Amino acid sequence: MSITFRIATAADDRPGPRAVINARQLAAFRTFLREESVRSRTVLLDPDAAEDAYLSYHFEARVCPLPLAAIARVFDFDADVIGVVEEAQFRCRRVSVWRDEPAGTIAMRVALTSDQGLELDLASGNAEVLLESLGLTPDSIGEIPVDTIRERLANPAVRRRAAAGGITPYLDRLDQLIGLADADETSRLEWA
């Protein structure tokens, strides 16, 4: 079992934009992402397994490095898709594509994952040691304001406890993750 640490904002607490796309647009989008990945030498499609039909409907894509107009063209300039991509780029997030089984459609929305994928996914034991070194109760689900976690990361005692627990590299990755919170004053660190 694992626990993922990520940055959340007030925008994550309310429904965001959502678009319905068709199978032709899905195929064109995946092709576009693969071509742009090769051109830019950047992984834009996660996961990318063409032979797996399940994954072709369930994936996340980086859209921040790409021009909005180029993505919009793939979707025939659909206003709902433009709204999703624009919001994802504004919030430095990926887009998530999935098959909405009850509705029988393919949907797109802003993902919970940051554009650069800096989320920290740790085995439960390591996550508990990390939380304890930060002076937090090692619960499997929780949240804390970003300012509070920054203060704790600046405390030398936290670094000593992390070193004693062998998790110093996780603190460094947590520092990188916290750097994502600069854009929104409602940011908080969540884990689950």
Side-chain angles (χ1 to χ4, degrees):
M1 193 148 145
S2 67
I3 296 176
T4 301
F5 294 83
R6 70 179 193 88
I7 298 298
T9 66
D12 294 318
D13 299 334
R14 56 185 180 272
R18 183 175 186 270
V20 173
I21 62 175
N22 62 44
R24 180 192 60 76
Q25 292 170 325
L26 173 68
F29 186 45
R30 291 178 64 83
T31 299
F32 171 76
L33 291 169
R34 286 189 185 111
E35 290 170 355
E36 287 299 309
S37 290
V38 170
R39 186 189 65 72
S40 66
R41 296 180 184 165
T42 305
V43 176
L44 299 173
L45 188 58
D46 182 34
D48 184 11
E51 69 282 353
D52 191 338
Y54 175 79
L55 293 177
S56 69
Y57 282 116
H58 297 277
F59 64 91
E60 289 186 353
R62 290 187 65 193
V63 294
C64 292
L66 303 171
L68 176 60
I71 298 169
R73 186 177 10 176
V74 171
F75 294 98
D76 303 317
F77 301 95
D78 179 273
D80 290 339
V81 171
I82 290 171
V84 170
V85 173
E86 193 172 52
E87 179 77 9
Q89 289 180 336
F90 177 75
R91 295 180 53 207
C92 296
R93 298 280 181 93
R94 296 178 181 191
V95 295
S96 178
V97 175
W98 78 100
R99 181 151 183 88
D100 186 350
E101 295 295 339
T105 60
I106 305 166
M108 176 190 285
R109 70 167 183 244
V110 177
L112 296 175
T113 309
S114 64
D115 177 65
Q116 296 177 356
L118 294 176
E119 287 66 22
L120 186 57
D121 189 23
L122 300 177
S124 295
N126 288 334
E128 289 172 5
V129 172
L130 176 64
L131 290 167
E132 287 173 348
S133 72
L134 291 166
L136 299 170
T137 306
D139 295 328
S140 59
I141 298 173
E143 66 179 44
I144 188 170
V146 167
D147 290 339
T148 305
I149 201 72
R150 278 192 179 118
E151 290 171 11
R152 291 179 186 219
L153 286 170
N155 185 338
V158 168
R159 294 284 173 182
R160 283 193 301 276
R161 287 192 299 263
I167 57 144
T168 301
Y170 300 143
L171 281 187
D172 297 337
R173 289 193 48 210
L174 190 58
D175 271 333
Q176 288 181 321
L177 181 60
I178 295 300
L180 297 174
D182 293 337
D184 191 324
E185 61 194 33
T186 65
S187 295
R188 64 189 182 270
L189 178 69
E190 284 186 345
W191 60 92

Coordinates of all heavy atoms in Angstrom, one line a residue, residues 3 127-129 131-132 136-141 191:
I3 N 1.1 5.8 -0.1 CA 0.5 7.1 0.3 C 1.1 8.1 -0.7 O 2.3 8.2 -0.9 CB 0.7 7.5 1.7 CG1 0.0 6.5 2.7 CG2 0.2 8.9 2.0 CD1 0.3 6.7 4.1
A127 N 6.1 6.6 4.2 CA 5.3 7.8 4.4 C 5.1 8.1 5.9 O 5.1 9.3 6.3 CB 3.9 7.6 3.7
E128 N 4.9 7.0 6.7 CA 4.7 7.2 8.2 C 6.0 7.8 8.8 O 5.9 8.7 9.6 CB 4.3 5.9 8.8 CG 2.9 5.4 8.5 CD 2.6 4.1 9.0 OE1 3.4 3.4 9.7 OE2 1.5 3.6 8.6
V129 N 7.1 7.4 8.4 CA 8.4 7.9 8.9 C 8.5 9.4 8.5 O 8.9 10.2 9.3 CB 9.6 7.1 8.4 CG1 10.9 7.8 8.8 CG2 9.5 5.7 9.0
L131 N 6.1 11.5 7.9 CA 5.1 12.3 8.6 C 5.6 12.5 10.1 O 5.5 13.6 10.6 CB 3.7 11.6 8.6 CG 3.0 11.7 7.3 CD1 1.8 10.8 7.3 CD2 2.6 13.1 7.0
E132 N 6.1 11.4 10.7 CA 6.7 11.5 12.0 C 7.8 12.5 12.1 O 8.0 13.2 13.0 CB 7.0 10.1 12.6 CG 5.8 9.3 12.9 CD 6.2 7.8 13.2 OE1 7.4 7.4 13.0 OE2 5.3 7.1 13.7
L136 N 4.2 15.2 12.6 CA 2.8 15.0 12.3 C 2.4 13.6 12.7 O 3.2 12.6 12.7 CB 2.5 15.2 10.8 CG 2.8 16.6 10.3 CD1 2.7 16.6 8.7 CD2 1.8 17.6 10.8
T137 N 1.1 13.4 13.0 CA 0.6 12.0 13.3 C 0.6 11.2 12.0 O 0.2 11.7 11.0 CB -0.9 12.2 13.8 OG1 -0.9 13.1 14.9 CG2 -1.4 10.8 14.2
P138 N 1.1 10.0 12.0 CA 1.3 9.2 10.8 C 0.0 8.6 10.3 O -0.1 7.4 10.2 CB 2.3 8.2 11.2 CG 2.1 8.0 12.7 CD 1.7 9.3 13.2
D139 N -1.0 9.4 10.1 CA -2.3 9.0 9.6 C -2.1 8.8 8.1 O -1.4 9.5 7.4 CB -3.4 10.0 9.8 CG -3.7 10.2 11.3 OD1 -3.5 9.2 12.1 OD2 -4.0 11.3 11.7
S140 N -2.9 7.9 7.5 CA -2.8 7.6 6.1 C -3.5 8.6 5.2 O -3.3 8.7 4.0 CB -3.4 6.2 5.8 OG -4.7 6.1 6.2
I141 N -4.3 9.5 5.8 CA -5.0 10.5 5.1 C -4.9 11.8 6.0 O -5.1 11.8 7.2 CB -6.5 10.2 4.9 CG1 -6.6 9.0 4.1 CG2 -7.2 11.4 4.3 CD1 -8.1 8.5 3.9
W191 N -2.3 14.2 1.7 CA -1.8 12.9 1.5 C -2.9 11.9 1.7 O -3.8 12.1 2.5 CB -0.6 12.6 2.4 CG -0.8 12.7 3.9 CD1 -1.2 11.7 4.7 CD2 -0.7 13.8 4.7 NE1 -1.3 12.1 6.0 CE2 -1.0 13.5 6.0 CE3 -0.4 15.2 4.4 CZ2 -1.0 14.4 7.1 CZ3 -0.4 16.1 5.5 CH2 -0.7 15.7 6.8

